[in-house]
Amino acid sequence: MSILKNRRAFLEGCGFTAATVTGSSFAAWAQEKAPPDLIVINAKVTTMDPAMPSAQAFAVRGGRFTAVGSTTDIKSLAGPKTRTYDAKGSFITPGFIDTHNHGRGEGLLYGVLAGNPYEVEYMTIQSIIDKVAAKAKTLPPDTWILATFYDDTKIKDNRPLTRADLDKATTSHPVQVNLRGGHAAIFNSKAFQMAGVTKTTPDPYGGTFEKDARGELSGRVTDNAQRVLTKFGKQESFTPAQISQRQIAGVEFISKKFAEYGITGVCYDSGRDSIINAMQIVRERGNLHTRINYEGSEDTLEAMIKTGIRTGFGDEWIRFGGTWERVQDGALSSRTMSMTRPYIGVSPPYKGNLTEPQDSLNAWVERIHRAGIRLNTHCNGEPAIERSLIAYERVFKMFPKPNARPKFTHCSLPSAAQIRRIKAMDGQPSLFSTYIYYNADKFKYYGADMAEHMLPYKDFDVAGVNASTGSDFYPGPFDPRMAIQGMVTRKGFNGETWGPSQKVTVDRAIKASTINGAYHTFEEGIKGSITAGKLADYVVFAEDMHTVDPDKIKDIKIVQTVVGGTARYQA
């Protein structure tokens, strides 16, 4: 089979249409001369376009902005069929872009949710026990039960969930309750027994079986050690038709949720599972409300390499991005990220987990880069960031490629020297967005001095690095308003302020969430700002983020989310 036919077969297998393969219709749109379909007037528009930072109005035709300016000028463009939206002083920004997201909607629809996915909400240990016990009644013995959105610092009981707690829910099913931040989970005794893990079992590379004060297994297992347990037992089974139905329903659900919160574009990290076909079906049905930059799993990467698909292939709705995050260390909120010094209050001394040897990472980076696929590693702490930099610098020296824009997912605690090296390669950090507000109760484990350099939006901005906002959902809520408030105030839900030297202005926070996100995905020419010729993606707010109390930004009402000139959410 020829490369072209092979490539087309792969795309069509993923659900891409012939129109997608042949490209967009922008040229035809640009040649068309007609009045706008829509004009928006009497608004306070923050455009994120340095040529015209603010405006009162804009026009839309064919799903794109055609003119931006004053209300008087834009009204003069209207034709007899042009619709007029009078914003009546509402605040408008470009649509928000989430550059790191694991939004598998079927887990929200069908899974066991230990906590609230969207807001700060405390839970009880008994509520988790009850939810797991209820699920156990629906499954045969030895079948895994997975619960998500457990946050160990938001427990009304003032203590973490343990193995013994989960044993009260079931002793015949293995149970895994994931910490919201990922990279750690609480398992019950059945899970340990099935894997033959005891308190004397040594920790594997890049993970730990944690012990309680008596030296017994507490149930908390981190990073690579989780794989030792999860390879045993049975998974809940579904027919191919059921799997497809659940995936499609999940994509439709999460797409609506994103639009509800003002998100018009996401970098979807597929992890180890592919749902790109479900995304295409949802799109064909007209129910995809958010543009997707698809970061493929290893299976998808192999298919891309085999068929010659490179980063950027696709269209304005679904486009192949880089790789899924190649994990180099643990998590910030779960306190397993790699550190140069031990965590505060943890005994014995612990510096987190590094999860892949340098040689292994180097080989993977070389293979992916040579195939023309954008590099992406998960690297929170300085040691993991260093491994990513070494691998990237090595491959760029061996195989130079202009405009590679390698991705640093999270990049939570870089050194000043590392920031300079990231700048030199035009690296793209996708920093946690809502963590500043949502996870303020975690910063005490790092200390005030480290907090001054954690999630360093200001340092990256000063250095000229294009840092963007990634919620990492499930781990973090994806509300851009929550993210912007945290970036502006550095204050958490609990009133604690961490790293005030990293505060940025409202405009800088919006920039990180919009045009920086577009540059992150090589799409700054078509989205990220309210500019004539770009896709008409924008959000209408009831109040101006510049004038409202900074501690109330997250509460501003979203009136409308528009993607391609069409309202995808209306309050």
Side-chain angles (χ1 to χ4, degrees), residues 119-265:
E119 306 287 345
V120 174
E121 183 178 293
Y122 277 67
M123 62 202 80
T124 66
I125 288 173
Q126 189 59 51
S127 70
I128 298 172
I129 293 171
D130 292 343
K131 290 175 181 178
V132 171
K135 183 65 175 179
K137 293 178 181 178
T138 69
L139 297 173
D142 299 334
T143 304
W144 278 96
I145 297 171
L146 173 66
T148 55
F149 297 104
Y150 161 61
D151 193 320
D152 63 348
T153 58
K154 295 179 178 66
I155 291 286
K156 292 180 180 179
D157 305 72
N158 292 317
R159 69 171 181 83
L161 184 72
T162 68
R163 174 172 61 95
D165 294 322
L166 294 180
D167 289 347
K168 296 177 182 176
T170 178
T171 57
S172 56
H173 304 77
V175 178
Q176 176 181 355
V177 178
N178 282 346
L179 268 73
R180 171 147 203 178
H183 297 261
I186 313 303
F187 292 83
N188 68 344
S189 295
K190 177 71 172 181
F192 288 103
Q193 291 165 4
M194 292 176 70
V197 173
T198 69
K199 63 182 179 181
T200 62
T201 301
D203 292 334
Y205 174 82
T208 59
F209 302 115
E210 296 193 1
K211 313 296 192 303
D212 61 23
R214 298 172 297 142
E216 301 293 332
L217 292 167
S218 68
R220 192 177 194 267
V221 180
T222 70
D223 288 300
N224 290 352
Q226 296 178 74
R227 301 175 192 170
V228 177
L229 277 63
T230 56
K231 64 184 178 181
F232 295 94
K234 299 178 293 187
Q235 298 295 330
E236 189 174 6
S237 61
F238 303 98
T239 67
Q242 288 173 325
I243 292 172
S244 178
Q245 183 276 325
R246 288 164 65 96
Q247 289 181 343
I248 291 167
V251 172
E252 289 182 337
F253 177 81
I254 196 66
S255 185
K256 289 179 182 178
K257 275 292 181 183
F258 287 151
E260 180 183 337
Y261 283 84
I263 295 172
T264 61

Side-chain angles (χ1 to χ4, degrees), residues 40-47 53-58 69 71 86-94 510 530 539-548:
V40 175
I41 60 174
N42 298 321
K44 297 178 181 178
V45 184
T46 289
T47 67
S54 61
Q56 295 176 322
F58 51 81
T71 290
D86 188 344
K88 299 179 180 179
S90 295
F91 178 58
I92 297 179
T93 70
I510 295 173
I530 297 176
V539 186
V540 181
F541 294 91
E543 297 176 85
D544 189 342
M545 290 184 182
H546 298 92
T547 58
V548 75

Side-chain angles (χ1 to χ4, degrees), residues 420-441:
R420 290 192 291 271
R421 290 159 67 190
I422 291 170
K423 169 62 178 175
M425 64 176 67
D426 197 15
Q428 300 297 301
S430 174
L431 304 185
F432 288 115
S433 59
T434 56
Y435 267 34
I436 301 167
Y437 178 85
Y438 182 86
N439 276 321
D441 50 1

Side-chain angles (χ1 to χ4, degrees), residues 542-562:
E543 297 176 85
D544 189 342
M545 290 184 182
H546 298 92
T547 58
V548 75
D549 179 347
D551 290 330
K552 301 294 183 181
I553 291 175
K554 71 177 184 61
D555 301 318
I556 297 175
K557 180 182 178 181
I558 294 176
V559 177
Q560 192 179 64
T561 301
V562 177

Side-chain angles (χ1 to χ4, degrees), residues 358 362 381-396 405-406 408 411 414-429 459-460 463-466:
Q358 187 73 60
N362 289 350
E382 186 177 338
I385 296 169
E386 185 65 23
R387 289 193 176 185
S388 297
L389 279 166
I390 289 170
Y392 290 173
E393 290 167 341
R394 172 183 176 273
V395 80
F396 293 152
R405 303 186 195 180
F408 295 80
C411 205
S415 68
Q418 288 176 334
I419 289 176
R420 290 192 291 271
R421 290 159 67 190
I422 291 170
K423 169 62 178 175
M425 64 176 67
D426 197 15
Q428 300 297 301
D459 286 351
F460 276 126
V465 175
N466 186 77

Side-chain angles (χ1 to χ4, degrees), residues 2 58 77 124 160 193 328 335 358 367 377 432 511 528 541 570:
S2 70
F58 51 81
L77 302 176
T124 66
Q193 291 165 4
Q328 299 308 301
R335 287 90 68 199
Q358 187 73 60
R367 184 166 186 263
T377 58
F432 288 115
K511 181 174 183 284
F541 294 91
Q570 181 74 47

